[in-house]
Amino acid sequence: MTTVLVVDDEPQIVRALRINLSARGYDVLTAYDGKTALRVAVDEKPDVVVLDLGLPDIDGVEVIAGLRGWTSMPIIVLSARTESVLKVEALDAGADDYVTKPFGMDELLARLRAAVRRATTQTVEDPIVTTATFTVDLAVKKVHRDGAEVHLTPTEWGLLEILARNPGRLVSQKQLLQDVWGPTHVGESQYLRVYLAQLRRKLEADPSRPRHLITEAGMGYRLEL
Amino acid sequence: MTTVLVVDDEPQIVRALRINLSARGYDVLTAYDGKTALRVAVDEKPDVVVLDLGLPDIDGVEVIAGLRGWTSMPIIVLSARTESVLKVEALDAGADDYVTKPFGMDELLARLRAAVRRATTQTVEDPIVTTATFTVDLAVKKVHRDGAEVHLTPTEWGLLEILARNPGRLVSQKQLLQDVWGPTHVGESQYLRVYLAQLRRKLEADPSRPRHLITEAGMGYRLEL
DNA sequence: GGCTTCCTTTACGCGTTCTTGATGCCGTGC
DNA sequence: GCACGGCATCAAGAACGCGTAAAGGAAGCC
């Protein structure tokens, strides 16, 4: 059975979700603030979290960070229409999907099913990402170029791993900084420039004209295959 | 069968809509004031609401707020030409579209169909939005036109993303400004003109006669598919 | 202790992007 | 017909973000 943790401070929303989810065979846990949510998540290990961003005690984004510190369980964010900046932050922080309040129950259920499906099938994924110039083996944490292994420092690997786990996708500076250097270093985009330059020097055929480690000015970076 | 709730205090308009909608196979509910409308909406859960802004008892915008508190059903606003401030407020409050009185029945029916279609297909959530001229991939943050990738600046992408996440739907200037430039820049509609012009130059076949990035004077913008 | 490796930090040049003001157009209302 | 508000377009300076190099410093290893 699938267990869902619902985190929201509005009782009527929690009630509505509990009724609908129970009726569809989910186990439902609830929490009305961030601290409780984090504790329940640790104790009960739900399969998926539905999280309202506007909590009374902790910022919703921090709750996501707190969860992402030890788990990759899917997180679906609920947010009001006007908080779109927050939504971006939430996704950067590691949320899987978001639903704008007010939401249709059908939509939420569909996204819930999709999130659970993704989480359960993800393990099968191919752990080797290949480009025309180099290959990244995510399972063994090794990079090869022209048959030879390329030595990367821990930080270099951390960056490349995130990009390789999102092949073709634009990854925001914030997410990269947060995942590699931690939440306190968000804003130090200079780090990214230095390390991307190093990665290019090691991996690109022509580092000054990168074909795979692409910069999207003002937004982030992308691993183009 | 699709159920439509018609809210208007002018009997002849209600009658005309009832006849036309019934003839096309819709179930029609009616209300002549805001309180009744809210009660009927709760009891009958229509699939879409057609709402006149000038009601005898409650302000139309408050009716929208009352609905949006618990449902995301589409709301199409009817309003007289002179109430343009109200119309913008209505969109910001969560209306999906508007039709100016006096209106053609064909136009209303078309918008009704579009609203219902959006509401029912929304759950599938295709991350790629396609028009006749270009495609927007929301997952990887890329735009293609005639097979080639089009480079967008962060601000251009921010605008296009919001429009693409509300395909076919009118997005108010206020919402665009708030989401892209932040709450302090609401009112700087000049930014919108400059950047919409840039987007059109990059994406429209004939930028001076846009087919997809549509201006709704005084209201906002719409991405027409 | 001395060495290497890696991380952090500063500085600078350069291209891109944003902002801002000016101008002309079009539709609406008077 | 005219004034007005909202819109489209253009242009130019300012501000910003990026890449690169290089030096100082911390941590680990022999």
Side-chain angles (χ1 to χ4, degrees):
Chain A
M1 177 173 295
T2 307
T3 304
V4 185
L5 170 57
V6 176
V7 190
D8 201 316
D9 61 329
E10 298 175 65
Q12 65 269 34
I13 288 191
V14 173
R15 186 159 14 95
L17 283 173
R18 177 187 285 287
I19 292 170
N20 276 281
L21 291 171
S22 301
R24 280 161 182 85
Y26 292 93
D27 250 353
V28 181
L29 306 169
T30 58
Y32 292 91
D33 59 59
K35 279 184 183 154
T36 311
L38 288 172
R39 190 167 39 71
V40 173
V42 170
D43 293 347
E44 306 284 339
K45 304 224 181 343
D47 298 296
V48 52
V49 179
V50 176
L51 173 69
D52 180 44
L53 282 188
L55 294 177
D57 57 342
I58 327 180
D59 182 28
V61 175
E62 294 194 42
V63 177
I64 296 172
L67 290 170
R68 278 290 172 265
W70 58 274
T71 178
S72 61
M73 66 178 68
I75 301 173
I76 297 179
V77 163
L78 298 179
S79 78
R81 176 188 192 70
T82 49
E83 308 171 290
S84 85
V85 183
L86 273 186
K87 283 190 286 194
V88 174
E89 285 181 37
L91 290 174
D92 280 342
D96 289 73
D97 204 347
Y98 69 83
V99 178
T100 302
K101 280 187 186 179
F103 55 87
M105 190 56 65
D106 289 339
E107 180 183 0
L108 180 66
L109 288 169
R111 289 186 194 269
L112 205 69
R113 283 193 299 273
V116 172
R117 185 173 349 107
R118 275 198 300 274
T120 52
T121 54
Q122 202 175 20
T123 32
V124 193
E125 247 183 289
D126 184 3
I128 298 183
V129 178
T130 306
T131 74
T133 319
F134 58 90
T135 64
V136 184
D137 189 329
L138 293 168
V140 202
K141 294 189 189 286
K142 279 186 176 171
V143 182
H144 289 268
R145 178 184 174 187
D146 306 328
E149 185 178 338
V150 179
H151 173 73
L152 296 186
T153 74
T155 307
E156 288 165 2
W157 171 259
L159 264 184
L160 184 60
E161 178 172 13
I162 299 172
L163 293 172
R165 285 195 192 282
N166 298 282
R169 279 224 186 85
L170 174 55
V171 185
S172 72
Q173 300 196 358
K174 195 173 208 170
Q175 185 181 339
L176 291 169
L177 286 164
Q178 188 150 319
D179 288 4
V180 178
W181 281 272
T184 57
H185 289 70
V186 177
E188 309 259 10
S189 55
Q190 175 64 10
Y191 291 178
L192 292 178
R193 293 188 208 108
V194 172
Y195 277 93
L196 259 297
Q198 275 169 212
L199 282 173
R200 286 185 182 125
R201 216 176 301 137
K202 291 183 178 181
L203 299 177
E204 289 278 1
D206 181 355
S208 63
R209 299 174 157 275
R211 285 180 50 197
H212 304 295
L213 296 163
I214 307 296
T215 301
E216 299 279 0
M219 299 197 272
Y221 293 86
R222 176 201 309 278
L223 176 60
E224 201 72 78
L225 301 184
Chain B
M1 177 172 300
T2 306
T3 304
V4 185
L5 170 57
V6 176
V7 189
D8 201 317
D9 61 330
E10 298 173 67
Q12 65 271 31
I13 288 191
V14 174
R15 188 160 9 97
L17 282 173
R18 175 188 288 286
I19 291 169
N20 275 281
L21 291 171
S22 300
R24 279 161 183 85
Y26 293 93
D27 251 352
V28 181
L29 307 168
T30 58
Y32 292 92
D33 59 58
K35 278 184 183 154
T36 311
L38 288 172
R39 191 167 39 71
V40 172
V42 170
D43 292 348
E44 305 285 339
K45 304 222 181 347
D47 298 296
V48 52
V49 179
V50 176
L51 173 69
D52 181 44
L53 282 188
L55 294 177
D57 57 342
I58 327 179
D59 182 27
V61 175
E62 294 195 41
V63 177
I64 295 172
L67 289 170
R68 279 290 173 263
W70 58 275
T71 179
S72 60
M73 65 178 68
I75 301 173
I76 298 178
V77 163
L78 296 179
S79 77
R81 185 171 287 278
T82 49
E83 308 171 289
S84 79
V85 182
L86 272 185
K87 284 190 285 190
V88 175
E89 285 179 27
L91 287 173
D92 282 331
D96 288 72
D97 207 344
Y98 82 92
V99 178
T100 302
K101 283 185 184 179
F103 56 88
M105 191 55 66
D106 289 340
E107 180 186 359
L108 181 65
L109 288 170
R111 292 194 192 271
L112 204 70
R113 282 193 301 273
V116 173
R117 186 176 346 109
R118 276 198 300 276
T120 54
T121 54
Q122 203 176 21
T123 34
V124 187
E125 183 65 32
D126 187 356
I128 299 182
V129 178
T130 305
T131 74
T133 320
F134 57 89
T135 65
V136 183
D137 190 326
L138 295 167
V140 304
K141 300 201 177 185
K142 269 188 181 175
V143 181
H144 288 270
R145 178 185 172 185
D146 305 327
E149 186 179 337
V150 180
H151 175 74
L152 297 186
T153 73
T155 307
E156 289 165 2
W157 171 261
L159 266 183
L160 183 61
E161 179 171 12
I162 299 173
L163 293 172
R165 286 197 192 281
N166 297 284
R169 182 170 152 171
L170 177 49
V171 184
S172 72
Q173 298 195 357
K174 186 175 177 183
Q175 187 183 341
L176 291 169
L177 286 165
Q178 186 152 321
D179 287 2
V180 177
W181 280 273
T184 56
H185 288 71
V186 178
E188 309 258 10
S189 54
Q190 173 66 6
Y191 290 177
L192 291 178
R193 295 190 203 107
V194 172
Y195 277 93
L196 259 296
Q198 272 168 214
L199 282 173
R200 287 182 182 129
R201 208 179 310 136
K202 290 184 177 182
L203 299 178
E204 290 277 3
D206 181 355
S208 62
R209 299 175 163 277
R211 286 180 50 197
H212 305 295
L213 296 163
I214 308 298
T215 301
E216 303 273 2
M219 308 275 103
Y221 294 85
R222 177 199 305 272
L223 176 60
E224 200 71 71
L225 302 185

